[in-house]
Amino acid sequence: DNVMGAFEQRVAKEGLGLHELAVLAATLEHFVHKEAMSRLHLAYGAHSVKAEDIISMAEAEDIMDSYMVLYILGFMLKNVAEATPAEIQALRRVVPEIYPTWNGTQEFLREVKESVASRRDYLYFSDVATVIEEAGERYGTWQDKECRALKDDLMAVEDSRPGGAGRVRLADFYRLAVHQGKSQFSESISFLRQQGALDE
């Protein structure tokens, strides 16, 4: 918070030069890395494994899945930074129902693991951390495909009445979930309102 406050003051007064921008980027990268490693330690703990332990490829995949569950569904926890092993395991049980592309996410993680740590029988924490960081680098590009598919689904049911451009009727939105099995379109009205997605 102190670091961000200092940057905000500097931006408000003079703006950022190239050097300050580079420092800001490095600072943000440090915070992202620190948060990722904290989440990875929690994932290890969810499987009763210590960071010092050498793990098998199968154990690494389970730990990486737990990491991704925290990354994707961590918002469902009261405090993701203090997630308990039981909370993480509970999220793992429900993730296939809540996050329709979970199987694809797992495949994505396996592909990253194979490209970063292939031909290994065991991994150290630093190896798993490298896979996680590489997955973080590639995730935006991979997830963009999912976002485009969601956009296409919504555009297909866009309200064609006058004044309806850019809008989807709630009935059509929920029809995607109920009749087409696209559960990502099942958020409650109160959630959609909270997100500012309802045009009331």
Side-chain angles (χ1 to χ4, degrees), residues 137-157:
E137 293 288 328
R138 299 182 192 181
Y139 189 67
T141 303
W142 180 81
Q143 193 181 40
D144 184 56
K145 294 174 196 166
E146 177 185 349
C147 293
R148 289 177 189 275
L150 291 174
K151 178 183 174 187
D152 291 345
D153 287 339
L154 291 171
M155 293 292 290
V157 294

Side-chain angles (χ1 to χ4, degrees), residues 8-100:
E8 287 172 2
Q9 287 177 1
R10 175 66 187 246
V11 169
K13 287 181 184 174
E14 307 169 31
L16 294 180
L18 185 58
H19 175 73
E20 290 87 359
L21 189 59
V23 171
L24 176 61
T27 302
L28 291 174
E29 187 173 358
H30 169 74
F31 285 145
V32 168
H33 172 77
K34 188 175 173 184
E35 183 178 319
M37 291 307 100
S38 173
R39 202 178 290 126
L40 185 55
H41 278 284
L42 290 171
Y44 263 69
H47 296 274
S48 301
V49 178
K50 296 183 182 115
E52 307 82 53
D53 294 344
I54 299 170
I55 60 173
S56 69
M57 281 293 207
E59 289 171 312
E61 289 179 359
D62 276 343
I63 289 168
M64 289 186 299
D65 286 349
S66 292
Y67 172 91
M68 280 310 282
V69 163
L70 283 170
Y71 182 80
I72 294 167
L73 299 181
F75 71 92
M76 295 175 66
L77 301 175
K78 205 179 259 187
N79 184 353
V80 70
E82 296 177 10
T84 66
E87 288 174 323
I88 296 169
Q89 294 302 334
L91 286 179
R92 286 203 54 180
R93 283 191 295 276
V94 299
V95 71
E97 299 164 25
I98 296 173
Y99 194 68

